[in-house]
Amino acid sequence: KLKCGYGISDRYWKYGWEIEQFRPTNKETSAGFEIYKRISFREPEPIYGANTISSLCLIDKIDYYDYYLSKGWRLFARIQLAPQWGFRIDYLVEAHQSLRKTTEFSLLSRSIDFRENPPIREGDMQGVQIFLNHDTRKFVDAGLFVLPVSGRRSWTLNAQLEYTDKRYFHSDFD
């Protein structure tokens, strides 16, 4: 998987390159590597997805997230424990950098200012992340998109644990 983009306002190139190898005997276990430079945010569970937030910002300067630049790499292993249960573990090395507000553009709210993006504690993060998810949704392949089947009751449960430490991982963060 290869991703690349350029921000006109912030004048940053963003990129991502990911390779994932599945076991030849089944597609339920894989290992991979990713290298990236991207705009990240750290908030509680998002109320809105990235596309919704981008649209709200573009149309009316409504933005709920605080952003920072993350540049780094990760190694990961993914296991499908059961049909509805997934597990992933990552080892990651990232540099975190504050970002300043770079635009005031909006289609409708030109007279209102965007709020300032608050600074973060900058530094290098090394650590382990563990993800567990349970998803009862059923999906249908719609060509370019994979969509959930509507009219069916379903739910998702996601849990994430992150561990970083100055002593073991030489991270700037505890």
Side-chain angles (χ1 to χ4, degrees):
K1 193 187 310 186
L2 183 62
K3 301 177 262 188
C4 185
Y6 182 75
I8 296 168
S9 291
D10 62 18
R11 297 188 179 112
Y12 280 119
W13 279 100
K14 290 87 161 180
Y15 56 84
W17 178 71
E18 180 182 314
I19 186 165
E20 184 172 12
Q21 178 64 49
F22 291 90
R23 284 185 38 190
T25 55
N26 68 32
K27 299 290 183 193
E28 297 172 350
T29 305
S30 66
F33 173 78
E34 180 184 24
I35 188 167
Y36 52 86
K37 179 181 176 184
R38 61 182 165 219
I39 305 295
S40 298
F41 59 90
R42 186 66 71 141
E43 296 291 337
E45 182 64 28
I47 299 168
Y48 302 109
N51 292 333
T52 302
I53 286 292
S54 295
S55 299
L56 290 171
C57 289
L58 180 63
I59 294 168
D60 205 26
K61 293 187 180 178
I62 299 171
D63 189 6
Y64 299 104
Y65 296 147
D66 299 332
Y67 302 93
Y68 63 95
L69 183 68
S70 62
K71 182 179 179 181
W73 57 272
R74 72 182 176 108
L75 293 170
F76 63 90
R78 201 182 313 256
I79 301 169
Q80 192 69 32
L81 301 170
Q84 297 176 344
W85 287 93
F87 174 83
R88 190 180 91 213
I89 186 167
D90 297 359
Y91 173 74
L92 65 137
V93 176
E94 286 184 343
H96 293 177
Q97 177 184 333
S98 292
L99 291 173
R100 60 183 176 76
K101 176 179 69 169
T102 59
T103 187
E104 287 296 343
F105 180 78
S106 171
L107 295 173
L108 300 179
S109 298
R110 295 182 183 191
S111 62
I112 300 171
D113 288 339
F114 265 117
R115 66 178 179 81
E116 292 297 326
N117 191 46
I120 64 163
R121 182 176 158 208
E122 296 184 347
D124 295 327
M125 187 184 94
Q126 296 183 47
V128 174
Q129 292 178 327
I130 296 172
F131 303 87
L132 181 66
N133 73 304
H134 182 68
D135 190 345
T136 64
R137 295 177 295 177
K138 300 291 183 200
F139 294 90
V140 62
D141 186 354
L144 293 174
F145 304 100
V146 177
L147 303 171
V149 175
S150 62
R152 182 181 181 279
R153 284 190 172 185
S154 61
W155 55 278
T156 62
L157 171 69
N158 296 298
Q160 176 181 348
L161 175 69
E162 181 176 272
Y163 180 75
T164 182
D165 187 288
K166 290 181 180 184
R167 193 171 95 198
Y168 295 116
F169 292 112
H170 308 289
S171 179
D172 291 335
F173 306 102
D174 283 328

